[in-house]
């Protein structure tokens, strides 16, 4: 009896954490004021600890023998029923979280047939911490064992796209996201990122938002100007640009350095003599998404290949509805903390950790979600920052 009760309490405890981490994820996907999101986030942290603590205090105070005296009916307090209901919900939460985890494994299994991955380089800049980490909190966080904020991986992924025309086979895109220029890491760190990205010599570069956190870092665009490619360097903004005093200036300084703003717009390029539709989606923070009603694919002899640059992977259904072949996103940072077997614990998405990072296929769209370069939380476990070169391939 006691063993069964212990198992149920363990299951309920895991389900409790699953419920509150899911709420944390959902709140962070919404376009609310930052102070409101921060308050909600703090509340989820408090409730995650407070509720089990209150339960343990109550449990310790209960008698070991719950039997009533002979002839007397067993009575339970109101608080007993409150814990019974919450415990039942938590057990349900455990099984729902287990089901979702299995669903995510299915996603990974499906996506595995659409890409190959190879690690090109891995860097450890821990010795640079005194020079590159400029805030006290970031320096302290870097001392946490296995923290990977000063690591950098350079990957190459071959993406097998069902509708990729032969003309674009082998086309290369460097995908970057979530630079988070705020001053907590020195500009020298970003110079290293730019150098590694340029060494890939891709034909196109795409940056999926959250470039700036602070207006004081606008001059750092001189460093970002080193990101050049024959077919252009494209960017959109993310939710963190809402923290700026002048987000219009964020667009201007990037455009002044030769980058192309895809926010809320679309354009068509001729790449290798083949039409490619490029579009941007910054929803839900910077509406509207690109208006494709005025795009006429009939003006081209071939069906244009469609590429979407979106900050949030939550826009996957928008991409599918608008027939995009390839979607590049960021925002979720890979989850930042990834446990063996379990995977990421939290991700700022209405889908929870489903699209935390990696490659996903939802017909007809193949989506790549970058783990990003930096973040406001200086902690990464089993989730190093990444630069990814995508090589587009036709299906064999």
């Amino acid at each position: 009896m006691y063993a069964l009760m212990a198992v149920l309490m363990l299951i309920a405890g895991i389900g409790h954490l699953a419920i509150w981490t899911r709420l944390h994820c959902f709140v962070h996907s919404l376009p609310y004021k930052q102070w409101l999101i921060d308050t909600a986030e703090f509340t989820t942290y408090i409730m995650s600890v407070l509720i089990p603590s209150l339960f343990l205090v109550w449990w310790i105070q209960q008698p070991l023998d719950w039997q009533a005296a002979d002839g007397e009916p067993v009575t339970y307090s109101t608080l007993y029923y409150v814990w019974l209901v919450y415990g039942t919900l938590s057990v349900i939460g455990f099984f729902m979280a287990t089901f979702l985890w299995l669903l995510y494994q299915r996603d990974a299994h499906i996506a595995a047939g659409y890409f190959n991955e190879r690690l090109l380089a891995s860097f450890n800049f821990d010795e640079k911490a005194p020079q590159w980490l400029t805030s006290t909190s970031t320096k302290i966080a870097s001392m946490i064992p296995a923290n990977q904020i000063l690591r950098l991986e350079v990957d190459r992924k071959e993406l097998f796209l069902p509708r990729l025309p032969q003309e674009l086979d082998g086309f290369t895109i460097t995908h970057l996201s979530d630079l988070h220029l705020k001053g907590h890491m020195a500009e020298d760190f970003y110079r290293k990122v730019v150098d590694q990205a340029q060494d890939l010599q891709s034909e196109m570069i795409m940056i999926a938002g959250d470039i700036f956190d602070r207006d004081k870092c606008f001059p750092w665009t001189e460093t970002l100007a080193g990101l050049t490619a024959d077919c252009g360097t494209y960017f959109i903004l993310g939710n963190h640009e809402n923290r700026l005093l002048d987000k219009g200036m964020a667009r201007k300084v990037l455009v002044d350095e030769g980058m192309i703003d895809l926010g809320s717009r679309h354009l068509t390029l001729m790449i290798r003599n083949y039409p490619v539709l490029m579009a941007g989606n910054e929803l839900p923070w910077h509406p509207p998404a690109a208006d494709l009603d005025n795009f006429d694919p009939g003006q081209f002899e071939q069906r244009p290949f469609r590429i979407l640059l979106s900050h949030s992977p939550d826009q996957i259904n928008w991409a599918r509805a608008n027939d995009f072949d390839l979607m590049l996103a960021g925002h979720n940072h890979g989850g930042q903390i990834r446990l063996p077997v379990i995977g990421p614990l939290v991700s700022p998405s209405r889908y929870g950790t489903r699209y935390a990072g990696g490659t996903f296929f939802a017909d007809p769209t193949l989506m790549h979600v970058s783990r990003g370069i930096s973040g406001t939380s200086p902690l990464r476990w089993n989730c190093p920052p990444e630069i990814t070169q995508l090589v587009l391939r036709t299906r064999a």
Side-chain angles (χ1 to χ4, degrees), residues 200-393:
L200 294 173
Q201 297 184 340
S202 295
E203 295 165 85
M204 179 181 289
I205 298 174
M206 303 187 76
I207 309 174
D210 275 2
I211 300 169
F212 297 107
D213 276 47
R214 298 288 185 270
D215 298 66
K216 67 180 183 180
C217 293
F218 287 162
W220 292 14
T221 51
E222 293 184 6
T223 293
L224 300 185
L227 294 170
T228 60
D230 291 343
C231 294
T233 299
Y234 300 82
F235 75 89
I236 56 171
L237 302 185
N239 57 304
H240 277 250
E241 273 80 18
N242 277 336
R243 303 185 181 196
L244 301 173
L245 299 175
D246 188 353
K247 63 183 179 184
M249 182 58 67
R251 296 188 192 275
K252 182 179 184 303
V253 295
L254 292 168
V255 171
D256 286 348
E257 294 295 348
M259 299 186 189
I260 301 166
D261 182 8
L262 272 183
S264 303
R265 59 190 290 254
H266 65 83
L267 53 86
T268 305
L269 305 177
M270 293 300 295
I271 299 177
R272 301 181 180 180
N273 295 316
Y274 196 93
V276 177
L277 172 68
M278 308 280 295
N281 183 327
E282 299 170 326
L283 294 177
W285 302 282
H286 311 288
D291 181 7
L292 298 177
D293 290 341
N294 58 8
F295 172 68
D296 178 19
Q299 62 185 300
F300 303 101
E301 294 181 1
Q302 309 107 317
R303 174 194 173 273
F305 185 76
R306 297 186 174 209
I307 301 177
L308 175 66
L309 185 60
S310 172
H311 181 57
S312 173
D314 287 5
Q315 299 303 313
I316 179 64
N317 287 331
W318 188 92
R320 297 177 66 195
N322 287 279
D323 203 33
F324 279 92
D325 300 282
L326 177 63
M327 173 178 170
L328 306 186
H331 184 54
N332 292 341
H333 299 194
Q336 292 202 199
I337 298 175
R338 302 176 67 95
L339 300 183
V341 181
I342 294 175
L345 298 179
V346 295
S347 178
S349 165
R350 67 177 59 194
Y351 297 106
T353 59
R354 183 174 191 175
Y355 300 127
T359 306
F360 307 88
F361 182 74
D363 192 32
T365 306
L366 187 64
M367 176 171 69
H368 183 259
V369 183
S370 171
R371 296 196 302 265
I373 295 298
S374 185
T376 55
S377 299
L379 182 62
R380 283 179 178 261
W381 281 339
N382 197 28
C383 188
E386 72 172 344
I387 301 170
T388 307
Q389 183 183 58
L390 305 175
V391 184
L392 310 191
R393 294 296 187 188

Side-chain angles (χ1 to χ4, degrees), residues 5-280:
M5 189 174 296
V7 171
L8 286 175
M9 289 177 64
L10 176 61
I11 289 175
I14 297 173
H16 157 78
L17 292 176
I19 290 171
W20 286 98
T21 54
R22 185 75 178 199
L23 285 173
H24 175 278
C25 295
F26 181 75
V27 167
H28 268 269
S29 72
L30 301 173
Y32 294 157
K33 295 291 186 181
Q34 191 60 44
W35 68 267
L36 186 58
I37 292 177
D38 290 342
T39 301
E41 180 181 24
F42 181 73
T43 301
T44 61
Y45 291 149
I46 292 296
M47 297 303 285
S48 296
V49 176
L50 181 62
I51 291 176
S53 300
L54 291 175
F55 173 78
L56 287 175
V57 170
W58 174 80
W59 179 262
I60 291 171
Q61 295 175 346
Q62 303 310 303
L64 292 177
D65 185 4
W66 287 65
Q67 298 291 328
D70 291 341
E72 295 184 9
V74 177
T75 59
Y76 300 103
S77 67
T78 301
L79 195 54
Y80 168 86
Y81 289 105
V82 170
W83 288 122
L84 180 63
V85 170
Y86 187 78
T88 302
L89 292 174
S90 295
V91 170
I92 294 172
F94 170 83
F95 287 107
M96 289 186 65
T98 302
F99 170 77
L100 291 174
W101 182 84
L102 293 172
L103 177 64
Y104 302 164
Q105 304 313 302
R106 175 179 174 272
D107 287 346
H109 178 73
I110 292 173
Y114 289 88
F115 77 99
N116 289 327
E117 181 175 13
R118 181 162 64 95
L119 180 65
L120 299 180
S122 180
F123 300 94
N124 184 342
F125 301 123
D126 287 346
E127 75 282 356
K128 297 286 187 179
Q131 297 81 36
W132 286 7
L133 302 181
T134 56
S135 72
T136 301
S137 60
T138 307
K139 288 179 179 179
I140 293 174
S142 71
M143 300 177 187
I144 298 175
N147 192 353
Q148 297 176 313
I149 58 171
L150 282 174
R151 308 294 173 89
L152 179 65
E153 288 188 352
V154 183
D155 301 316
R156 176 174 292 144
K157 292 183 180 180
E158 287 188 313
L159 303 183
F160 302 104
L161 296 129
R163 299 186 298 187
L164 184 74
Q166 190 62 44
E167 291 88 339
L168 297 178
D169 184 63
F171 185 74
T172 53
I173 302 172
T174 292
H175 183 194
L176 296 168
S177 186
D178 297 273
L179 304 179
H180 289 284
L181 304 182
K182 61 179 288 187
H184 66 308
M185 301 185 78
E187 191 174 1
D188 284 344
F189 170 74
Y190 293 99
R191 290 193 181 100
K192 185 65 175 179
V193 170
V194 168
D195 288 344
Q196 291 303 314
Q198 280 301 110
D199 284 348
L200 294 173
Q201 297 184 340
S202 295
E203 295 165 85
M204 179 181 289
I205 298 174
M206 303 187 76
I207 309 174
D210 275 2
I211 300 169
F212 297 107
D213 276 47
R214 298 288 185 270
D215 298 66
K216 67 180 183 180
C217 293
F218 287 162
W220 292 14
T221 51
E222 293 184 6
T223 293
L224 300 185
L227 294 170
T228 60
D230 291 343
C231 294
T233 299
Y234 300 82
F235 75 89
I236 56 171
L237 302 185
N239 57 304
H240 277 250
E241 273 80 18
N242 277 336
R243 303 185 181 196
L244 301 173
L245 299 175
D246 188 353
K247 63 183 179 184
M249 182 58 67
R251 296 188 192 275
K252 182 179 184 303
V253 295
L254 292 168
V255 171
D256 286 348
E257 294 295 348
M259 299 186 189
I260 301 166
D261 182 8
L262 272 183
S264 303
R265 59 190 290 254
H266 65 83
L267 53 86
T268 305
L269 305 177
M270 293 300 295
I271 299 177
R272 301 181 180 180
N273 295 316
Y274 196 93
V276 177
L277 172 68
M278 308 280 295

